[in-house]
Amino acid sequence: MAFNIRAAEKADAEAAFTLIHQLAIHDEVADFLQITEESFTTAAFGEKPKFNILVAEENAVIVAIATYIYRYLIWLSEDIIEIDDLFVKPSARGHGIGNKLLEAIGLMGKEQGIHVRWDIERENFSTIAYYKRKGVEYHSHGTCLWAPENINIT
């Protein structure tokens, strides 16, 4: 499966929002998803974007998404990249797309010399083990922290 990872553009808003909605359904939290497609589009692509999006596409069809923000983390006394959501359509799973999205954000962190942070369900043992093999520091309360010096892209 050949796919391309790139920064999302405003024309991608509908497809990106659809994937966020699919993620909410997958995680059984669709009732808690309050953002509309219109507010999602404004927040991502408006005059002052509130978050960033990477998409993975196969044959010009968006099949995965990663949303992230830059923020200051008091505990590290530095700016970080924080991954909010990462989702691959079920039909596109098993081809390394999620890994490549994660690595693309990791590469940004490495190039900028800043940590990448995200949360994970504490019961997701196989994924936690996978992240640890990638050099990610896992904290038992469900936080992953990838130091720039440990970001090794395969």
Side-chain angles (χ1 to χ4, degrees):
M1 172 181 278
F3 55 91
N4 178 47
I5 293 178
R6 62 173 175 79
E9 302 169 353
K10 189 171 184 177
D12 301 320
E14 180 181 356
F17 177 76
T18 298
L19 286 175
I20 292 298
H21 188 256
Q22 289 178 1
L23 170 61
I25 292 168
H26 177 269
D27 287 349
E28 300 178 355
V29 293
D31 292 344
F32 297 102
L33 184 65
Q34 297 189 18
I35 195 166
T36 64
E37 184 177 335
E38 180 181 351
S39 59
F40 177 87
T41 302
T42 300
F45 304 105
E47 190 174 312
K48 293 182 179 181
K50 299 186 183 316
F51 62 94
N52 304 286
I53 304 171
L54 288 181
V55 294
E57 57 185 3
E58 178 192 20
N59 300 322
V61 175
I62 295 173
V63 296
I65 184 174
T67 60
Y68 62 96
I69 60 171
Y70 286 89
R71 74 177 188 95
Y72 185 79
L73 185 63
I74 295 169
W75 290 84
L76 293 177
S77 184
E78 71 176 41
D79 291 322
I80 65 165
I81 298 172
E82 184 154 10
I83 300 172
D84 188 32
D85 291 310
L86 194 154
F87 181 72
V88 179
K89 288 172 95 168
S91 61
R93 292 184 184 161
H95 302 283
I97 296 173
N99 180 59
K100 291 299 182 188
L101 280 168
L102 180 65
E103 287 184 346
I105 295 174
L107 185 58
M108 288 185 254
K110 185 175 187 90
E111 289 173 348
Q112 296 168 40
I114 60 177
H115 286 75
V116 178
R117 180 185 186 279
W118 67 94
D119 293 325
I120 185 171
E121 294 290 328
R122 294 186 306 198
E123 297 80 22
N124 196 341
F125 303 116
S126 62
T127 303
I128 292 167
Y130 168 74
Y131 289 154
K132 286 180 177 181
R133 288 191 303 273
K134 291 185 82 59
V136 173
E137 182 180 336
Y138 172 74
H139 299 267
S140 61
H141 57 276
T143 300
C144 295
L145 193 63
W146 209 1
E149 62 273 11
N150 294 332
I151 298 173
N152 299 309
I153 306 304
T154 57

